[in-house]
Amino acid sequence: MSAIPQVRLPSGETVPQLGQGTWHMGENSRLRKEEVAALKLGLDLGLTLIDTAEMYGNGGAEEMVAEAVQGRRDECFIVSKVLPENSTKAGTIAACERSLKRLKTDRIDLYLLHWRGRPKLEETLAGFEALIASGAIRSWGVSNFDVDDMDELVALPGGAACGSNQVLYNLRRRGIEAGLLPWCREHGIPIMAYSPIEQGRLLRDRALTAVAIRHRATPAQIALAWVLRQKDMMVIPKATMLEHVRENRAALDIKLTEQDLGELNRAFPPPKGRRPLELL
Ligand SMILES: NC(=O)c1ccc[n+]([C@@H]2O[C@H](COP(=O)([O-])OP(=O)(O)OC[C@H]3O[C@@H](n4cnc5c(N)ncnc54)[C@H](OP(=O)(O)O)[C@@H]3O)[C@@H](O)[C@H]2O)c1
């Protein structure tokens, strides 16, 4: 197995390009053991970037993450998110304190605004800055921000310090290629791609299956390899099954050929022009 490529964040810190998502984890106590085991296996395989949110399982996902990283917190890069309805200055600080308690840690490595809400961005930014000053978070970023939101953000004092924009991106959701992705590259703000296998809905696709057969891989691995070939992008699939975690790690070793990319482009055409950012 090759080493895991790293992505450099605006802070200068590097994180593994492939991480682990946690949406829909921490919702059912009967699945807890399995979920913790999956995240732990991921850590053993080097997938130390873990994405969670106060929203997931109503805090349950963060509690499950705490169990998975117990005794190895320093190996991990934990991303969590504040809900828009909590994103005033005081609300952001209070939400972060609750997340830290559930995560049983003293800091969140990257804290994101989950999507835009009513509070002004200045308010959220003031909350993030206070949290950085107190050491509760090490960096901050956003999620589901389109180009106009990003323009507004970086025009604010301190707004250009944004560490990442986490957005929907996979073979079937290529809209960002026509606007947001080049914008983020120009501004040095890395994209973190969520739902990279479209929550499993991509897996029966014929073109994807044909490429997978050639590589003796699975369609999920090809879908991941397609996103992962863009080396400046973090990718955070969620997997509860141990076999899925192993497969996902191995996707890093798949090199797609020009023929593969051509076939995938025909099956999943790139966007013809700008369109609004899609979200899940
Ligand atoms: N910021 C946002 O608004 C936002 C929105 C959506 C997601 N996210 C983040 O991104 C993460 C990933 O997105 P997602 O969970 O929506 O979807 P996803 O990662 O595209 O898909 C997850 C689904 O794919 C299955 N899967 C994983 N690896 C597989 C493999 N190798 N073969 C076959 N099936 C496989 C999983 O099954 P098992 O679990 O059974 O293994 C699960 O059902 C989330 O968990 C969350 O952390 C963020």
Side-chain angles (χ1 to χ4, degrees), residues 108-225:
I108 289 168
D109 298 292
L110 175 64
Y111 196 43
L112 310 179
L113 172 58
H114 210 146
W115 63 88
R116 274 201 83 165
R118 272 214 209 122
K120 286 187 166 174
L121 278 182
E122 289 94 320
E123 279 272 317
T124 315
L125 221 60
F128 285 156
E129 280 165 0
L131 288 166
I132 287 195
S134 71
I137 65 171
R138 296 181 53 242
S139 61
W140 63 267
V142 294
S143 176
N144 298 305
F145 267 42
D146 208 344
V147 170
D148 49 347
D149 302 309
M150 291 307 285
D151 276 332
E152 204 180 317
L153 178 68
V154 297
L156 295 174
C162 176
S164 179
N165 186 9
Q166 184 183 109
V167 295
L168 176 61
Y169 185 57
N170 63 48
L171 274 163
R172 208 175 265 169
R173 314 275 196 160
R174 298 182 60 173
I176 65 168
E177 291 173 25
L180 186 63
L181 181 55
W183 188 101
C184 283
R185 284 188 171 140
E186 253 169 53
H187 289 79
I189 297 175
I191 292 276
M192 192 180 290
Y194 75 68
S195 307
I197 51 179
E198 185 66 12
Q199 301 184 323
R201 289 184 292 271
L202 265 175
L203 302 179
R204 294 226 181 113
D205 180 83
R206 261 214 234 145
L208 201 55
T209 305
V211 176
I213 289 170
R214 274 208 298 275
H215 284 269
R216 298 205 173 123
T218 66
Q221 288 180 307
I222 301 301
L224 284 176

Side-chain angles (χ1 to χ4, degrees), residues 42-265:
L43 294 182
D44 293 340
L45 296 174
L47 311 183
T48 52
L49 164 63
I50 297 181
D51 178 72
T52 189
E54 63 169 335
M55 184 187 100
Y56 301 164
N58 215 359
E62 290 180 324
E63 288 169 356
M64 186 276 302
V65 169
E67 203 174 320
V69 308
Q70 199 188 356
R72 52 203 301 193
R73 170 67 185 91
D74 291 348
E75 286 170 44
C76 304
F77 187 91
I78 297 181
V79 182
S80 193
K81 312 184 197 80
V82 56
L83 279 167
E85 68 234 42
N86 292 333
S87 67
T88 58
K89 178 179 179 190
T92 301
I93 294 169
C96 182
E97 280 162 4
R98 292 193 295 272
S99 285
L100 287 173
K101 273 208 188 101
R102 288 189 291 262
L103 286 163
K104 296 202 172 90
T105 185
D106 59 349
R107 81 273 181 200
I108 289 168
D109 298 292
L110 175 64
Y111 196 43
L112 310 179
L113 172 58
H114 210 146
W115 63 88
R116 274 201 83 165
R118 272 214 209 122
K120 286 187 166 174
L121 278 182
E122 289 94 320
E123 279 272 317
T124 315
L125 221 60
F128 285 156
E129 280 165 0
L131 288 166
I132 287 195
S134 71
I137 65 171
R138 296 181 53 242
S139 61
W140 63 267
V142 294
S143 176
N144 298 305
F145 267 42
D146 208 344
V147 170
D148 49 347
D149 302 309
M150 291 307 285
D151 276 332
E152 204 180 317
L153 178 68
V154 297
L156 295 174
C162 176
S164 179
N165 186 9
Q166 184 183 109
V167 295
L168 176 61
Y169 185 57
N170 63 48
L171 274 163
R172 208 175 265 169
R173 314 275 196 160
R174 298 182 60 173
I176 65 168
E177 291 173 25
L180 186 63
L181 181 55
W183 188 101
C184 283
R185 284 188 171 140
E186 253 169 53
H187 289 79
I189 297 175
I191 292 276
M192 192 180 290
Y194 75 68
S195 307
I197 51 179
E198 185 66 12
Q199 301 184 323
R201 289 184 292 271
L202 265 175
L203 302 179
R204 294 226 181 113
D205 180 83
R206 261 214 234 145
L208 201 55
T209 305
V211 176
I213 289 170
R214 274 208 298 275
H215 284 269
R216 298 205 173 123
T218 66
Q221 288 180 307
I222 301 301
L224 284 176
W226 182 83
V227 187
L228 287 164
R229 80 191 195 291
Q230 309 184 65
K231 295 295 173 205
D232 57 352
M233 202 180 274
M234 293 159 278
V235 186
I236 47 166
K238 171 256 178 187
T240 310
M241 285 181 60
L242 298 182
E243 198 41 42
H244 288 166
V245 179
R246 285 190 199 96
E247 273 185 19
N248 296 351
R249 167 64 181 90
L252 279 165
D253 296 327
I254 298 173
K255 299 271 168 295
L256 297 177
T257 63
E258 287 305 316
Q259 183 192 351
D260 299 332
L261 294 174
E263 288 177 20
L264 292 172
N265 267 337

